[in-house]
Amino acid sequence: MTKRTDKTNAGVIPSDTDLEKVVLGSLMLESTLIHSWIQDLNPNLFFNSETMQTCLVVLELYRENTSIDIITVSQKAREMKKDNLENDISILDKKIKRFHRLIKGNK
């Protein structure tokens, strides 16, 4: 678990970057989840700047009524000049696929 300092009260807020990536990766693998999560999905829920930016990309795709998957997120990130996300999205895709294999019992 990664810790981040909250600038508002100088306290330490526990955060988990891998969990943030799992949430967004799940949306890319199962894009229908967005419909049940849209009311709660907010970039400010994420502590990692890359996952915040990825969330913004996902929300923009949703607003445009575009399917949400690894390809459309990568393309939209480039279009929105968030090129630094491209590598992060690739890593995210690998982690999510591994996570799903573990859940299914396939290593």
Side-chain angles (χ1 to χ4, degrees):
M1 189 177 290
T2 308
K3 291 187 177 177
R4 176 179 171 229
T5 303
D6 183 332
K7 295 177 184 166
T8 59
N9 64 10
V12 176
I13 298 172
S15 63
D16 188 335
T17 301
D18 287 338
L19 182 59
E20 292 179 10
K21 291 177 181 181
V22 166
V23 168
L24 292 171
S26 296
L27 285 172
M28 288 182 231
L29 287 174
E30 298 291 333
S31 61
T32 57
L33 289 173
I34 190 81
H35 303 295
S36 58
W37 293 3
I38 193 64
Q39 295 298 326
D40 298 317
L41 192 61
N42 181 320
N44 294 323
L45 295 173
F46 300 95
F47 292 97
N48 180 284
S49 63
E50 286 82 14
T51 51
M52 281 181 180
Q53 291 176 11
T54 303
C55 181
L56 287 170
V57 171
V58 167
L59 289 171
E60 183 63 24
L61 288 170
Y62 179 80
R63 284 185 201 99
E64 294 174 355
N65 200 27
T66 303
S67 67
I68 298 166
D69 56 47
I70 194 73
I71 294 169
T72 58
V73 171
S74 295
Q75 290 172 339
K76 190 63 167 178
R78 269 186 252 121
E79 181 184 309
M80 293 173 69
K81 307 270 191 257
K82 297 184 183 306
D83 294 326
N84 58 326
L85 290 179
E86 202 167 329
N87 185 43
D88 196 49
I89 289 170
S90 175
I91 292 168
L92 171 68
D93 183 49
K94 289 175 187 171
K95 285 186 177 189
I96 297 306
K97 286 178 181 174
R98 185 173 151 243
F99 176 74
H100 279 278
R101 282 193 308 270
L102 289 172
I103 288 174
K104 293 178 180 179
N106 304 330
K107 294 184 180 184

